[in-house]
Amino acid sequence: GTESERLEHADALRTAATAAHAALLGDASGTDQPDTVGLVGFARRTLDQVRAHDPALATLSDRLAELTGHDEQIANHAAEHKEVVDQEAALATTISSFVNAGLLTLMALTCYWLSGATIGGAAVACLFLVLGFALFGKNLLNVWFIVLGVFLYARFKREPFARHINVAFFGAALSPIFTEILFSSALPLQASLPLAVATTLGLGFVLVPCAAHLFNAHMGHTLYNIGWVAGILGTLTVAVYKSYGFVPDPVFIWTTGNNGLLGSMLALLFIAMGLGGWWLDREAWHKQGWILRQSGRSPTDFVDQAGMGPTLLNMGLTGALGTAYVLAVGSDLNGPTVGAIFTIVGFSAFGKHPRNIVPIMLGVFIASMLKDWSADDPSAVLAALFGTTLAPIAGRFGWRWG
């Protein structure tokens, strides 16, 4: 129908409406680009200055006045329609993001099932990481060659893939490299495709041994061990490509205006987690006390040690805390922040709990008060959320160190 066609072409409609609005009323960015209404008005005012001396120019000025009125009406209609198109485009983007996240998570879960892997705390953390990052970077195309690289390493070592599947999907943090090489380079597709495949296969192949060795550097005091490894490998990869003249273009997209919708969805999800945990284990609240006494130092599998019921309750509590922090500092719920919240939720099955994440977030908040940037800046908000990877430090050494 018409509505589905509008949603399908939402980006093109938004681009056209924005261009038309800018042509009529000027660019909202403040640039000095001429606009139709302004030019017609300028012509009319110019003629008005001399209309008393020439009846023909006076008539032309009157016609321009009529045209100005019509232009302003059209411009107002364009502005109203632009708002409608912007809302539809935002809705279409939100829907497609959640569809991408849902499908990718289901496919990852299928891989766990086919491999025969056990769904413990680390697997829960991994699946929530897939779900969260699929809202702002991972997609149905770019993750698989990283996963395949880990699979090939497992075959090379003659070990079951189930043993390394968590590393495979955690390591998909490197998946934007595939997209960047494939679509953002100046190379033709026949060159960029094999280069993207070879690069990400190689990264996946070395993830497992790198993760095993680099774990000893922090001894479990950062929960995102594979994230740290991926950061190092990603930095090296970008440096190599830069040495050949390939410089990736950084992209920053930060949407606003979705706090009501996304906040409601997250609230329902975390309430359901809490109730589900209590339904699975009537002692979940009592066992939550045991979880809060743990340092969270990796590996700490709450699913194995406390059970799924208390773990679900813990996940709901930390998710609510993460969401509350974003809203309390006046920031926005969007792909990056919801992804970061889901990361907290996932790792609440594998080390995080309210007592060891709150000091980290408060530390970032206090630091932001002492700087020239505010706590609601995107970088500060993401630092507070993703910084909870250091939760074991607060859990082991106390809130002051957190």
Side-chain angles (χ1 to χ4, degrees):
T2 303
E3 189 64 24
S4 62
E5 289 182 7
R6 287 164 64 90
L7 290 175
E8 182 180 354
H9 299 91
D11 286 337
L13 292 174
R14 178 166 56 180
T15 300
T18 301
H21 181 266
L24 289 167
L25 286 176
D27 192 346
S29 63
T31 57
D32 294 329
Q33 295 294 327
D35 58 86
T36 302
V37 174
L39 291 174
V40 172
F42 174 76
R44 181 180 59 82
R45 289 191 301 272
T46 301
L47 294 179
D48 279 345
Q49 296 174 4
V50 296
R51 62 181 297 151
H53 308 298
D54 189 333
L57 290 182
T59 302
L60 181 58
S61 177
D62 292 338
R63 294 181 63 183
L64 286 175
E66 296 176 3
L67 182 59
T68 300
H70 289 304
D71 283 348
E72 289 176 348
Q73 290 180 353
I74 295 172
N76 290 333
H77 286 309
E80 294 173 358
H81 192 69
K82 178 180 177 295
E83 291 182 4
V84 174
V85 172
D86 283 344
Q87 293 174 359
E88 292 179 346
L91 176 62
T93 301
T94 301
I95 293 173
S96 62
S97 296
F98 278 101
V99 169
N100 177 68
L103 289 175
L104 187 57
T105 306
L106 285 174
M107 294 172 75
L109 189 59
T110 301
C111 291
Y112 273 85
W113 176 66
L114 292 174
S115 70
T118 301
I119 303 296
V124 171
C126 188
L127 290 170
F128 267 88
L129 209 67
V130 171
L131 177 65
F133 276 74
L135 296 174
F136 71 113
K138 296 179 182 176
N139 57 50
L140 299 174
L141 172 67
N142 63 14
V143 302
W144 299 112
F145 290 103
I146 300 287
V147 175
L148 181 58
V150 176
F151 175 81
L152 293 176
Y153 174 83
R155 293 296 300 268
F156 174 75
K157 298 291 290 185
R158 297 182 180 177
E159 296 171 349
F161 179 56
R163 181 176 176 181
H164 304 300
I165 191 170
N166 290 334
V167 175
F169 282 101
F170 278 136
L174 290 165
S175 58
I177 291 178
F178 179 88
T179 311
E180 185 70 31
I181 297 173
L182 182 62
F183 296 115
S184 299
S185 68
L187 297 173
L189 182 62
Q190 57 266 31
S192 64
L193 177 58
L195 189 60
V197 170
T199 301
T200 47
L201 277 177
L203 289 170
F205 192 85
V206 302
L207 266 174
V208 175
C210 288
H213 287 288
L214 289 175
F215 181 86
N216 296 324
H218 58 80
M219 299 302 294
H221 287 98
T222 174
L223 293 174
Y224 306 163
N225 181 55
I226 306 300
W228 184 47
V229 174
I232 294 174
L233 292 176
T235 301
L236 293 173
T237 302
V238 171
V240 170
Y241 274 92
K242 278 188 174 182
S243 70
Y244 287 97
F246 175 73
V247 180
D249 295 324
V251 176
F252 180 80
I253 301 174
W254 188 266
T255 59
T256 60
N258 296 311
N259 285 5
L261 173 63
L262 296 180
S264 300
M265 293 174 60
L266 292 176
L268 290 175
L269 173 63
F270 300 143
I271 290 172
M273 283 183 167
L275 293 176
W278 176 80
W279 183 76
L280 289 173
D281 187 345
R282 295 298 191 272
E283 297 294 320
W285 280 105
H286 176 72
K287 293 179 181 179
Q288 178 67 22
W290 177 87
I291 289 178
L292 292 174
R293 291 191 294 271
Q294 306 308 303
S295 69
R297 181 182 174 187
S298 183
T300 303
D301 190 335
F302 291 148
V303 175
D304 179 58
Q305 299 176 26
M308 183 55 77
T311 300
L312 274 176
L313 174 60
N314 186 54
M315 293 166 69
L317 290 174
T318 56
L321 282 172
T323 305
Y325 180 87
V326 173
L327 297 177
V329 300
S331 189
D332 305 291
L333 291 172
N334 49 35
T337 53
V338 173
I341 291 168
F342 280 161
T343 302
I344 292 176
V345 172
F347 273 90
S348 296
F350 199 67
K352 294 184 182 181
H353 52 70
R355 191 174 69 85
N356 65 8
I357 68 169
V358 169
I360 305 295
M361 292 191 289
L362 287 179
V364 174
F365 178 79
I366 293 171
S368 67
M369 297 297 99
L370 304 176
K371 300 291 185 180
D372 58 355
W373 36 266
S374 61
D376 64 345
D377 283 353
S379 57
V381 173
L382 294 179
L385 298 176
F386 284 119
T388 55
T389 181
L390 299 173
I393 293 178
R396 183 177 181 187
F397 301 107
W399 63 270
R400 295 177 182 83
W401 291 99

